[in-house]
Every structure is written in structure tokens, then in C-alpha cells.
Amino acid sequence: MEITSLKNKPYPVQESFLFSILEQARDTEYGKKYNFKDIKSLNDFQKNVPINSYEEFHPYIKRMLEGEENVLWPGLIENFSKSSGTTARSKFLPVSEELLESCFKAGQDQLMLYLKNNPESSALEGKSIFVGGSLKQIKDEPGIFCGDVS
């Protein structure tokens, strides 16, 4: 998909992305609970899947932090981000390999759009520095890691 599709046709692109996520997660515990395999329209999604707060997701995420597979997303989630705690407490957010790849691609897309719109830019000349946040292992087995969101 070209990035211009996001600008020109945002709703079909977002709908397509939603159905892709539902297809990937259909055999997870959460996907089975809310019948992802039977969702064929936005109306079906709205009827089947409730709006949840983090507190309602927390029991699922806790199990994922303990190394349980196929809870909210297929397979084992080994990476988590930790929010900065702007609410009562910090929140752990699952980070799948697919999410990491899409975030990397989004960063590339942003840079390419910037360069397209600013052809005289020197953004790729000289040295650059990227400062990452903290990363620590939070579970000995199977090797669950957490980094901060900021």
C-alpha cells in the first residue's frame, strides 16, 4: 500500500487494517471470546467487541507478561512498553514483532515524505544520534523484556 492511500482514502485503509488485525488474532483467546472469525463488517465489530479500559485488559496482559501465548495476539509476546504513568500507575503495553516492524516502516515513511516535501534538506548528511529508552528483562523465563514508551 502506498502512503498516499492513507491520505486519499483513510476510511477504507483503516477498515482494511482492522480486518487484517482481526484475521491475525482470530485464534487467540480474545479473538475466540469475541468471535473475530465471524466479523465481516464494522457493524459486526461494534456489536461483538466491547470498548474496554486498560483495567479490563490488565488480566490478559498480566498473563502475557508471565509468558502465556495466544492471549491477545498470536504466539509469545516477548516485548512490552511501559507507559510513563500519567494516570494512577504505569501500564504495560504488549509489543509484537509485527508492531515493531510497522513502527519502523512508519518512521521510514515519515522521513521519505519529509524529504519529498523538502528536497533541499540536509537531514541525511553528516552524523545523527538516536537516543533509546531503557530496556530490561522482567522475567527470567522465557525472556520477557520491557522498555519505556518515552
Side-chain angles (χ1 to χ4, degrees):
M1 161 188 12
E2 283 190 35
I3 195 159
T4 53
S5 300
L6 294 170
K7 178 182 170 190
N8 298 333
K9 302 175 186 175
Y11 295 113
V13 170
Q14 290 178 19
E15 186 174 358
S16 174
F17 187 63
L18 170 65
F19 289 115
S20 171
I21 291 170
L22 294 173
E23 177 63 29
Q24 290 177 77
R26 68 187 283 172
D27 293 324
T28 63
E29 179 182 329
Y30 197 79
K32 290 175 183 176
K33 180 176 182 178
Y34 293 108
N35 301 309
F36 285 7
K37 66 177 176 56
D38 295 328
I39 296 175
K40 306 296 182 208
S41 68
L42 290 175
N43 192 38
D44 290 345
F45 177 77
Q46 291 168 339
K47 286 180 185 176
N48 287 359
V49 184
I51 296 173
N52 288 297
S53 68
Y54 179 83
E55 295 308 320
E56 291 158 320
F57 276 109
H58 185 263
Y60 296 104
I61 294 171
K62 185 176 181 208
R63 290 171 40 210
M64 294 169 75
L65 283 163
E66 294 170 353
E68 191 170 333
E69 297 183 21
N70 302 315
V71 180
L72 295 173
W73 194 250
L76 174 67
I77 301 298
E78 296 178 313
N79 301 298
F80 292 81
S81 288
K82 189 175 181 183
S83 71
S84 59
T86 55
T87 57
R89 65 184 168 106
S90 293
K91 298 172 179 72
F92 288 95
L93 309 170
V95 179
S96 68
E97 291 299 319
E98 294 86 355
L99 180 60
L100 285 174
E101 288 174 19
S102 70
C103 287
F104 182 73
K105 170 114 173 56
Q108 287 179 323
D109 288 346
Q110 287 177 330
L111 179 60
M112 293 305 113
L113 282 175
Y114 173 78
L115 293 172
K116 178 181 178 187
N117 293 322
N118 298 279
E120 301 301 318
S121 172
S122 61
L124 298 179
E125 296 175 17
K127 298 179 181 179
S128 298
I129 185 169
F130 293 91
V131 180
S134 65
L135 179 68
K136 67 178 186 174
Q137 189 168 352
I138 59 175
K139 185 107 175 127
D140 290 333
E141 289 296 328
I144 307 295
F145 290 88
C146 180
D148 61 47
V149 174
S150 58

